[in-house]
Amino acid sequence: VAIFQVFDEVRKDESARSRRFNVALDVAHPCAGIVAQAWEAIDAVLMQCIVDCGTMEVACKAVKYMVATMQKHARPLLPVLLQKLVACFHEAPHSCFLYLSATMVNVFGGSSEAADQAALDDVLVNFTQRLCADGGLLCNEENFSTMPDVVEDFFEFAARYCRYCPALILHRRPELMAGISTCGMKGLGCGHRQATRSLLDFYDRALALGVDERKYGAEAIAAQRPAIQGVFRPIGEQLVGKLLQGIAGGLPYDRCREAGVVLFSLRQCFATAGTCDADAWIFNALSALPAARYTNEKKQEYMAQLQVAGDAKAVKNVLQAIASTAG
């Protein structure tokens, strides 16, 4: 890890602090020889010490820095490494296999190479099936609390697809996007801060594909929004209900900011011609809040404030008011 960090970390001198150590693809990377010597041993550790979570963490950290350092120079390892991580995770579901895979998405997600896209597609399918399908590790709510590290790293992994290769997860594999989005709702009452933050960040990244014109451009949003609406329309009411139930008595108070971004993005995504389909979901969710703590007048006040909220910060303020009443 220390050797790879030498090349991956930002240079220490002031004049080059913002630059990384980059090597042209037609030039041999200086770490290539180190990788050639070390890979057999690293591979043996991954296979023989798999039950030891601490050892796996360090082994994956070494490979993570190796990939981050070599960037596209690590392409020969891409398919074999991702296949190995899937096999390892099936045998011992350590979260480090997920975060290492997320690093691969960072580096190769924007690649136009068919082989790269096929490798990333395969690992997305395998991890999603292992975790979110019927009988998967996250098929019940209890596991969101008992294995928060896996929750955190899986939804971070999925969020990387939204960020770096949205065409793959949104158009090529919309059923996986829908499955991950549906599965995630089981964890919105989980009290683990990092796990819920990762969950909400995934929803934020996914919904941004249908609303963030500044990032993707109007033309891309026009193409992506129907697909995002197709993912979230069937689960929208349940998602909003889970969010507000969590704010009223489950999610950590400081999650109001991330929940506010998600709720604001939902309203943007489903707003057309002066109306918003998401408002009906919000109204139903507010109506379901316990009458012992929230009067009808308060619920109506919250509804009115959410309908005129001009940004995610304004939504966050309303959610904080709901959370404060709950407390």
Side-chain angles (χ1 to χ4, degrees), residues 11 25 118 153 167 270 321 324:
R11 293 179 185 272
L25 287 176
D153 287 318
F270 288 93
S324 298

Side-chain angles (χ1 to χ4, degrees), residues 128 131-133 138-141 143-145 151-152 154-155 158 176-190 195-203 232 235 238-239 242-243 251:
T128 303
L131 289 160
C132 299
L138 300 180
C139 66
N140 62 70
E141 292 187 16
N143 284 356
F144 280 83
S145 296
V151 174
E152 178 186 353
F154 173 68
F155 285 95
L176 298 183
M177 172 80 91
I180 296 167
S181 301
T182 301
C183 178
M185 291 189 293
K186 300 185 184 77
L188 287 176
C190 170
T196 53
R197 177 182 285 127
S198 181
L199 265 172
L200 292 169
D201 183 64
F202 165 73
Y203 287 122
F232 282 94
I235 65 171
Q238 186 182 1
L239 174 59
K242 289 276 190 179
L243 278 173
L251 287 173

